Amino acid sequence: MNKELEHSFVEQLQKHQNIVHKVCRLYTNNADAHNDLFQEITIQLWRAYPKFRGEAKFSTWMYRVGLNTAITLYRKSKRRISTQEFDAVEFKIKAEEYDDTEEQQLKLLYQAVHQLNDIEKALVFLYLEDKDYREISATLGITEVNARVKMNRVKKKLRTILNP
Amino acid sequence: MDELELLKKDWKKDKTEYKNYSDSDIQPMLHKKSSSIVKTLFYISIAELVFWILVNVIPFFLSSGYKERMDQSYHSPIFVGLTALSIIVIFGFVYLLYKSHKAISTTDNAKKLMESILRTRKVVKYYVAFNLIMIFISIPVSLYLEFNNNNVFHDQVEAFNSKEMLILYLFTILLGGVFLLVFWLFYKLIYGILLKRLNRNYQELKKFEV
């Protein structure tokens, strides 16, 4: 592929890299895994780039490829710490240190989100990114009504994780 | 307050707690090797194609006795028919595999992407199933050809009493069965591990269709 294409891709990815970082933040739980997934998403974005014709915004297109990589294509590397170990730690923190300060609450929220399954995380991610149900349904391939129903269940599930 | 709203507020702050990659950090990443399941699936498919071609071809080159007998077998229309079918299937498989791999696109929606990957896996599955069925058929067929062409074997089998015949039948079925079982377990293991997460996520999305 030519240098010009590579240059414009790198430039755009550099500008919007936070989107990739945010996907990695939800789907991984340590720095090594984060970097691994970032690398894989970058490869997948670059491969899909020649077909990107600017019909959608570069960032919108990134959401789709990024999430697809995290949910479907990415194979967890061996370096990654198993989720089991991570979950056990979370529960301990939750029981011992719960208090009402916002910071603490946020920490627990992020931990709770990590306990969701891959599809639920995708819903949360798109919700946090202010995507409407039309876009959520188009990204995941489910109907808008189902996206709404699923989102409500995710909220409920989060509540249950936070207040067992 | 809605839990997610609190999270969203924090999410939007856009604090950069991650490493901010520069252009020169990103550029080499483009040329690194992908470890995606599509790539692994592709390599496995190619390995399977090569494996089954070798299974059919290697004995031909290794043993001259086998070669002679094979030459003789080509007089049998059943054998020629099965060989022709195998060749057609191999070409068909390569074509379908190419087509299904081309159809995998990361810019599709998640469900469609998963379906494309699973379809590719199905192409390989049918190819493997075809080969297993061929093995299952070829064991009795080769025994039958051997019976007609090999006088020593012919006389031996002719002399069998009914009990010995039963043992021969059972042995043939058992051999075919063991082959099938070993391969089935092997494939379950390979694809089970590779596609476990994908299958789980696909089921999760599919649950909403009902």
Side-chain angles (χ1 to χ4, degrees):
Chain A
M1 276 176 238
N2 65 52
K3 285 274 157 211
E4 208 177 303
L5 195 70
E6 195 172 303
H7 181 73
S8 78
F9 172 78
V10 171
E11 200 179 27
Q12 296 210 64
L13 178 58
Q14 207 275 337
K15 206 165 93 192
H16 297 287
Q17 62 177 294
N18 238 9
I19 295 175
V20 184
H21 277 304
K22 281 176 167 177
V23 174
C24 297
R25 181 177 185 180
L26 280 193
Y27 283 92
T28 64
N29 45 31
N30 66 67
D32 274 348
H34 184 113
N35 295 338
D36 243 25
L37 182 57
F38 191 99
Q39 162 78 65
E40 187 62 41
I41 293 176
T42 304
I43 294 174
Q44 296 301 335
L45 283 167
W46 172 231
R47 284 197 180 159
Y49 190 58
K51 282 191 234 154
F52 170 70
R53 291 189 192 88
E55 288 141 3
K57 271 200 302 187
F58 185 78
S59 53
T60 311
W61 174 79
M62 278 177 81
Y63 285 114
R64 191 170 273 212
V65 179
L67 275 179
N68 272 336
T69 308
I71 298 172
T72 308
L73 301 178
Y74 178 59
R75 280 191 308 139
K76 291 173 186 181
S77 106
K78 283 178 189 147
R79 287 185 300 201
R80 180 181 259 209
I81 295 167
S82 87
T83 354
Q84 249 78 32
E85 292 169 40
F86 195 81
D87 287 349
V89 178
E90 282 172 19
F91 281 122
K92 211 172 151 206
I93 295 170
K94 198 189 307 170
E96 286 171 6
E97 300 173 17
Y98 188 83
D99 72 40
D100 276 338
T101 63
E102 198 171 290
E103 188 115 340
Q104 191 61 29
Q105 220 176 335
L106 274 170
K107 199 173 152 194
L108 293 177
L109 266 164
Y110 277 115
Q111 285 168 356
V113 170
H114 265 120
Q115 291 180 45
L116 298 174
N117 69 37
D118 291 341
I119 305 296
E120 290 164 345
K121 278 181 193 161
L123 278 152
V124 169
F125 174 77
L126 292 167
Y127 181 85
L128 293 178
E129 289 292 318
D130 260 343
K131 301 294 164 197
D132 58 19
Y133 284 107
R134 193 185 52 80
E135 201 168 334
I136 294 177
S137 82
T139 307
L140 295 178
I142 57 179
T143 66
E144 235 176 286
V145 177
N146 286 341
R148 245 174 241 277
V149 173
K150 183 84 186 149
M151 194 68 224
N152 283 332
R153 286 194 202 159
V154 172
K155 284 183 187 171
K156 224 161 134 186
K157 188 169 170 182
L158 278 176
R159 232 165 274 146
T160 321
I161 296 174
L162 288 165
N163 312 297
Chain B
M1 184 186 182
D2 191 327
E3 286 88 352
L4 276 179
E5 289 308 318
L6 180 65
L7 199 60
K8 196 189 253 184
K9 211 174 84 190
D10 182 67
W11 189 261
K12 293 255 154 197
K13 279 185 201 154
D14 238 11
K15 323 170 263 195
T16 12
E17 40 191 87
Y18 327 105
K19 186 181 177 212
N20 190 32
Y21 290 116
S22 68
D23 287 5
S24 52
D25 290 328
I26 292 173
Q27 210 266 343
M29 285 188 194
L30 311 186
H31 305 290
K32 287 224 175 121
K33 276 191 181 158
S34 155
S35 60
S36 84
I37 57 165
V38 174
K39 205 169 171 191
T40 315
L41 197 64
F42 182 74
Y43 286 144
I44 294 178
S45 315
I46 298 298
E48 263 157 349
L49 178 71
V50 172
F51 172 79
W52 286 107
I53 291 175
L54 288 182
V55 164
N56 290 310
V57 168
I58 278 188
F60 198 75
F61 289 107
L62 284 184
S63 133
S64 56
Y66 182 81
K67 189 172 184 283
E68 267 169 39
R69 264 186 289 164
M70 288 294 276
D71 284 341
Q72 228 174 27
S73 308
Y74 279 113
H75 297 304
S76 147
I78 307 176
F79 195 83
V80 174
L82 286 180
T83 311
L85 184 65
S86 292
I87 293 169
I88 293 170
V89 166
I90 288 176
F91 279 109
F93 170 69
V94 172
Y95 171 72
L96 286 176
L97 193 66
Y98 172 78
K99 225 179 101 190
S100 58
H101 258 284
K102 275 294 237 192
I104 295 174
S105 162
T106 42
T107 41
D108 275 335
N109 67 50
K111 190 154 160 266
K112 203 161 160 222
L113 172 66
M114 290 177 195
E115 277 163 1
S116 313
I117 296 173
L118 292 173
R119 203 170 304 126
T120 308
R121 143 98 182 92
K122 259 190 200 146
V123 171
V124 183
K125 192 167 94 180
Y126 291 141
Y127 176 68
V128 171
F130 171 79
N131 279 293
L132 290 177
I133 290 168
M134 286 295 271
I135 287 183
F136 205 70
I137 293 174
S138 65
I139 291 172
V141 167
S142 13
L143 279 176
Y144 174 75
L145 289 177
E146 196 71 4
F147 179 75
N148 282 335
N149 296 327
N150 183 337
N151 290 335
V152 185
F153 184 65
H154 189 276
D155 294 342
Q156 272 175 344
V157 175
E158 285 279 89
F160 277 178
N161 59 32
S162 58
K163 196 177 158 197
E164 282 167 328
M165 274 311 278
L166 186 71
I167 292 174
L168 181 70
Y169 281 135
L170 282 179
F171 178 73
T172 314
I173 294 170
L174 197 73
L175 195 67
V178 168
F179 256 116
L180 284 185
L181 187 73
V182 168
F183 275 104
W184 183 75
L185 281 175
F186 185 65
Y187 285 107
K188 270 275 163 208
L189 199 72
I190 291 184
Y191 290 107
I193 293 169
L194 184 66
L195 297 176
K196 193 176 151 201
R197 188 157 151 259
L198 193 153
N199 266 318
R200 196 178 56 215
N201 287 338
Y202 183 64
Q203 290 311 323
E204 177 78 20
L205 282 177
K206 269 204 74 141
K207 262 198 309 208
F208 280 91
E209 279 178 356
V210 195

